[in-house]
Every structure is written in structure tokens, then in C-alpha cells.
Amino acid sequence: MKKYSAMIVDDSETDRYLLKRFLGKTDLVGDIFEVNNGKDALDFLSNFEENQKKYPDGFPPTLLFLDINMPLMDGFEFLSKYQELRDKVDDFSITIMMFSSSASKEDQNKAFSFPFVKDYLVKGAFKVEDLKAKIIQYV
């Protein structure tokens, strides 16, 4: 079975570690890229040709888990810039799931206003089985 690649965009090393462990337990994800803010994520994704050569089986990532509150560029700023990137690069479609400690309906509605955001995971409020089901559903 082919494994998907994922990118975790979160400034919390602990949260990245926990999500990485969960993803590993789903047995659906192979390569995992990690960055701690939206700007670094955007820079990584924008470096399309070089990263396709460097990671031929994992770039662009199939899944992207995005925190909201981060330094330099938060999750919502990232989503706006990502939309611009999608418009420039053909066939650049990543399944984005928010990964936030905020359970606020306002944040969820704002996230879902971007058509490529497929789900909203509240940190600590889901199990490995839930994550696996969501990955299967959206990819």
C-alpha cells in the first residue's frame, strides 16, 4: 500500500511530535515534513522543482496539518498565500486539515471559508482511529 506524505506546520515541538506519532500509527503516512510557522511552510512548498527532485516520492505532500497561532505567519495568513500559490502551479493540490488548540466556531468558520481546507482537528480531542478515518475520507 502506498503511503502518503504529510507536512506538519506548528510552532509547538511537542504538538508536532504527538501528531507525528499519531500519523505513524495510522500506517498511512510515510514521509513527514515539519516546519514551525506558515512562512517556512510556504517557502518549502514554493521551492517546487528543487523539492520534487529532492523528495520524488513525497513532494508535494499529500496532507498538510496547519496550526493557527504561530510566529512570523499564522495559519490564516498561510491559507491566503497558499491560495495564490495554488493559482500559479498546475496540479498543486494538498489536502489541508487545521490542527489547532482553538475549538472556536469563529476559527472553524474562517478556516472552512478556504475551499481546500477539508477538516478541523482540535488538539487532544481525537484518536488515531479518527485521524485514520479522516485521511482515508479526504485523500
Side-chain angles (χ1 to χ4, degrees):
M1 173 192 221
K2 180 188 185 271
K3 293 197 176 193
Y4 303 111
S5 60
M7 182 173 206
I8 303 171
V9 185
D10 195 320
D11 60 323
S12 167
E13 189 173 337
T14 303
D15 289 339
R16 287 194 317 264
Y17 172 79
L18 292 172
L19 182 55
K20 200 159 69 169
R21 292 283 310 256
F22 270 43
L23 289 169
K25 289 180 181 183
T26 68
D27 206 32
L28 295 173
V29 176
D31 292 327
I32 299 175
F33 306 104
E34 297 178 60
V35 294
N36 64 11
N37 64 69
K39 182 184 179 322
D40 289 349
L42 202 60
D43 290 347
F44 180 77
L45 295 173
S46 296
N47 202 350
F48 196 83
E49 288 179 16
E50 183 180 322
N51 284 327
Q52 263 194 325
K53 289 176 189 164
K54 199 173 186 179
Y55 311 104
D57 295 326
F59 187 87
T62 310
L63 301 157
L64 190 144
F65 297 89
L66 181 65
D67 188 19
I68 293 174
N69 296 309
M70 297 176 287
L72 297 180
M73 181 185 287
D74 71 23
F76 294 127
E77 291 173 285
F78 170 84
L79 291 171
S80 294
K81 298 287 185 186
Y82 175 74
Q83 177 64 58
E84 294 170 21
L85 181 64
R86 275 177 53 119
D87 293 344
K88 288 181 198 170
V89 180
D90 291 340
D91 252 1
F92 200 72
S93 181
I94 299 171
T95 299
I96 297 179
M97 293 188 212
M98 302 308 289
F99 177 62
S100 177
S101 56
S102 170
S104 137
K105 275 291 180 206
E106 183 180 327
D107 284 342
Q108 291 180 33
N109 290 339
K110 188 171 182 181
F112 286 125
S113 72
F114 294 91
F116 43 81
V117 172
K118 300 302 181 196
D119 214 314
Y120 193 105
L121 304 170
V122 176
K123 294 176 184 178
F126 62 93
K127 297 180 174 119
V128 172
E129 300 81 33
D130 302 327
L131 182 60
K132 185 173 185 172
K134 288 177 184 297
I135 291 171
I136 290 168
Q137 177 182 356
Y138 294 117
V139 177

